[in-house]
Amino acid sequence: MTVTIYDVAREAGVSMATVSRVVNNNPNVKPQTRKKVFEAIERLGYRPNAVARGLASKKTTTVGVVIPDISNSIFAEVARGIEDIANMYHYNIILCNADKKKEKEIRVINTLLEKQVDGLLFMGGVVTEDHIQAFRTSSVPVVLCGTKDENQTMASVDIDHEKAAFDAVHVLIASGHRDIAMISGTLHDPANGFARYQGYKKALEAAGIPLRDEYVRIGNYRYESSVDAVNFFLELSPRPTAIFSATDEMAIGAIHTIQDNGLRVPEDIAVISVDNIRMASMVRPTLTTVAQPMYDIGAVSMRLLTKLMNKESTDNMQVILPHEVIHRHSVAHS
């Protein structure tokens, strides 16, 4: 038999309204009464019905989070930041993996909205018109987390990906490199792909280095795609003396492929990237990279969402967080 609020009230010798106030942390309950109610709850094993509570309050205190790839450690760090702030503000999280597939992302967004979440955090790659349409039909606030829409009309928290890539390539140029290749993400992805490619291109332009088409290979953010890219670069003449990778995982694949071909990093080919995942400091040589503040991106996104859900005023709907070059050993110090 399901234990009801009526059973708890009878056991504690109080009204159902008093039990409700205790369960909802209403301060207008005497400590002695609160203790009595909690003891009754514990004895009976009562669990408040979140659905019924949500119907009454028009709130479920639940936030939907769409994550592109749950196996990628960088998104785990963002999710941690989201959850810590959600806990602080007494929200629960429903985490959904979307595999970076547009159809699945749209389906997951609609499913979460059907579940009456109070707000939505979208962590993904490309924000298309179809995504915007799905968000527009939502009656709850939406914050883009680690990405942004093309026209920047939606609330978002991210870094300046173009500037992060520019700064990474500038490190290579300052170390004396001119033959600099890039392993890019898909150019349809505005952040990890196109923006980082633009940063690479602008850094070369600023240094008066011509862009060579054969020095750019498109990867899929995964280790394996960089293996193919580096093997391609090693056949070129002249071969690159440095590689900028759009992500750390592809950079680690690049380091291993260079070593597997009997060459050394950074003596023969330097490698730099963007992200600063935990593996960046574990690979040998350790990876020089531009750190995204992943935990902060999650935490700030969730805080912005709580403001929107509670209709608090907010000055900045498009938050850009700072990035930082982390110098390690995959690039020789100039």
Side-chain angles (χ1 to χ4, degrees), residues 183-186 192 217-227 230 243 245-257 271 273 277 287:
I183 308 170
S184 176
T186 169
N192 295 359
R217 300 296 282 177
I218 306 298
N220 63 3
Y221 309 114
R222 290 303 204 177
Y223 181 100
E224 295 75 19
S225 66
S226 66
V227 174
V230 171
I243 295 172
S245 168
T247 66
D248 286 353
E249 185 170 328
M250 292 195 297
I252 291 166
I255 288 173
H256 288 162
T257 307
V271 178
S273 63
I277 63 174
L287 178 62

Side-chain angles (χ1 to χ4, degrees), residues 112-124:
L112 288 168
L113 293 174
E114 283 164 18
K115 293 200 177 299
Q116 305 292 307
V117 293
D118 293 339
L120 200 61
L121 285 172
F122 179 76
M123 228 188 295

Side-chain angles (χ1 to χ4, degrees), residues 109-186:
I109 289 163
N110 289 325
T111 300
L112 288 168
L113 293 174
E114 283 164 18
K115 293 200 177 299
Q116 305 292 307
V117 293
D118 293 339
L120 200 61
L121 285 172
F122 179 76
M123 228 188 295
V126 189
V127 180
T128 66
E129 196 49 49
D130 290 338
H131 288 90
I132 300 289
Q133 194 52 44
F135 296 142
R136 281 199 189 116
T137 61
S138 158
S139 58
V140 300
V142 178
V143 173
L144 305 179
C145 181
T147 187
K148 53 177 86 74
D149 60 314
E150 199 177 344
N151 299 317
Q152 297 193 25
T153 55
M154 299 197 62
S156 62
V157 178
D158 206 357
I159 65 163
D160 184 337
H161 293 273
E162 185 178 302
K163 182 71 168 65
F166 183 99
D167 291 348
V169 177
H170 179 73
V171 168
L172 296 174
I173 294 165
S175 298
H177 294 282
R178 290 187 67 79
D179 296 322
I180 302 168
M182 178 180 185
I183 308 170
S184 176
T186 169

